[in-house]
Structures are given as C-alpha cells and as structure tokens.
Amino acid sequence: MSRLAFSTLGCPGAPVDQVTALARRYGCGGVELRCADGEIVPPDASETAARDAGLRFADAGVAVVCLASYVQVGAPGPGTGEALRRHIALARAAGTPYLRVFGGDPDDPDTGARAAERLAEAADTAGQAGIRILLETHDALLTGRAVADVLHEAASPHLGALWDVVNPWRAGEPPAATAAALDGLLVHVQLKDVASPYELAPVLPASGAVPLDAFRRLLDGIGYGGWFSLEWEAAWYPQAPPLADALAAFCRLMQETSP
C-alpha cells in the first residue's frame, strides 16, 4: 500500500465516496479524518456511525490513518479528560490506529505540564483500545523539543509524536534538530508548503519556501517508515487552489524524491 495520505481538512464536508475517489485517483493509500462538526466523523458521532464510516473506507481499500481531533490536552478545565476518552472511543470505532491531539494555549505557562499529566492518565485507556495518541507539533508545542519534553514526561508506549513539518521550521528549529528530538517518538508526518514562515496560507507543494525535498531525504535517512500525509488547509483558506491540484503536486514531489 502507498504510504501517501491526505487530510480531509482539504475537502471540508466531503462525503466518504468523494474522499475515497480522490485517494484512488492520486494513489493515496490512506486519509486522515478531520474530527469536526460537519465532517464524516464529527466529535458528537456515535461509535456506530464512526464504525460504519471506517468500514466504508476499508471496503474502498483506503486506510483511515488517523482521527485528527482538536482536543487540547493541556487546556485547563475538567472536561478535557472526558473529551480525550470520547475521541479514543471514536478512533477505535473508526478502525484507525492513531488519534491526533494538540497541546493548548501558547500563552499559558502550565500547558506543557497539564498535557503531560493528561496524556499519562489517558495512555492506558488508549492502549486498551489499540490506539496510540499522537501529540502534534502545534500551538504551545511548536517544536520537536517541546513535544518530546511532554512525551518523555508522560512516558508511555501508547503515545507518540506527529511532526507537522511547517511548525518547527517556522519556529526556527532546524529539521535535523526536530528529528533528533523526536527520535524514538515519531509516528506520523504531515507535509505542506507555505510562502514564508510568516505567510501561512497553503501553496502547492514544492512551490513555496518549505524545503520539502530536504525533509523527505532527512526522514528517509533516519529510517522513517510511517505515512506522509498532505495537510491542505482549505477549511481555513477557502481561496486556496483545489485539493486535486495540491494532491497532484504532492504526489509528483513524493515520486521525484523517493529513494
């Protein structure tokens, strides 16, 4: 199966048939399902609905790589742990091995400590469900070092890192340093391109400032064997080119840089 995937962030509101058709057309073996209102598996979905969606993808020969939640594990308040448990149940029902989570507010000095505590508390539940919770380089935890510090503190094999390549890069962390920080923790990679560290609207892969070819060589060099997933942020930037154009450029880039 191809290790190429894409997030449904690039086709907000699209039904299963449309998503699987895109995957087949561009040779993508998997998809990340954005877990948001109006999507295939929203946060309030029943486990039965999530299971049905997962089975439809399986029948089409497309893996559900990850359930991309918006749970901020470092957020204050008592509801975060319950939200995390609910999303673990949805991920299990959908048949995906991974649940994506975020850290939280960059201006809250306690975000990292709370994130480590919540992840440690949820790790056994995730393991029993056959799910690995992936903490993304995002918001308060932009760099590989910040994500690694939280994951080392939480200390569970049922946790891992998701490297969104743009965020550590725009924070000034060299890719080799991110890779070193995430050694033994890296599970999943999201690729995208932007015009500069200060202009985050998506541009077609390999047309912007992000050194995606160098990232690919680096990841191959460290023996990364997971998915390469295009995160095309059409939900946030509706003026962006169509996902089909982005997928064509993404697949061309990955073919040109394959070992």
Side-chain angles (χ1 to χ4, degrees):
M1 178 184 288
S2 162
R3 290 192 294 151
L4 303 186
F6 63 92
S7 169
T8 56
L9 184 65
C11 47
V16 172
D17 290 349
Q18 182 178 334
V19 175
T20 56
L22 279 167
R24 288 194 298 267
R25 178 179 177 188
Y26 292 99
C28 292
V31 295
E32 294 180 32
L33 292 185
R34 177 180 179 236
C35 188
D37 291 342
E39 300 295 347
I40 292 168
V41 179
D44 62 354
S46 68
E47 291 182 44
T48 298
R51 186 174 298 109
D52 289 346
L55 289 172
R56 291 182 66 192
F57 278 101
D59 289 344
V62 178
V64 179
V65 175
C66 177
L67 186 67
S69 84
Y70 290 87
V71 176
Q72 294 183 326
V73 291
T80 303
E82 175 55 35
L84 187 52
R85 289 188 292 273
R86 171 158 180 73
H87 281 80
I88 290 170
L90 286 177
R92 176 186 59 191
T96 179
Y98 305 135
L99 172 68
R100 187 278 304 278
V101 298
F102 291 149
D105 184 355
D107 296 323
D108 185 339
D110 297 323
T111 293
R114 278 195 299 264
E117 181 179 0
R118 292 250 177 71
L119 288 171
E121 290 172 350
D124 285 347
T125 301
Q128 291 165 11
I131 300 299
R132 196 167 183 185
I133 304 171
L134 305 185
L135 181 60
E136 182 172 329
T137 52
H138 191 84
D139 51 47
L141 308 172
L142 280 185
T143 65
R145 173 48 53 200
V147 166
D149 286 347
V150 169
L151 292 177
H152 285 308
E153 179 67 22
S156 170
H158 307 305
L159 307 174
L162 191 162
W163 184 359
D164 174 328
V165 299
V166 164
N167 287 329
W169 168 80
R170 70 182 177 91
E173 184 177 64
T178 307
L182 298 181
D183 183 34
L185 301 169
L186 181 61
V187 175
H188 187 55
V189 169
Q190 289 176 342
L191 299 179
K192 54 191 172 188
D193 208 346
V194 295
S196 80
Y198 313 102
E199 301 169 88
L200 299 182
V203 300
L204 294 179
S207 72
V210 183
L212 293 177
D213 53 348
F215 275 114
R216 174 64 185 271
R217 290 193 297 271
L218 173 63
L219 288 162
D220 287 335
I222 64 174
Y224 173 71
W227 293 88
F228 293 94
S229 182
L230 174 69
E231 188 180 53
W232 188 247
E233 297 183 330
W236 315 134
Y237 299 95
Q239 75 278 14
L243 175 59
D245 293 353
L247 282 170
F250 169 63
C251 294
R252 186 165 53 248
L253 167 73
M254 299 305 286
Q255 289 167 359
E256 292 172 352
T257 59
S258 63

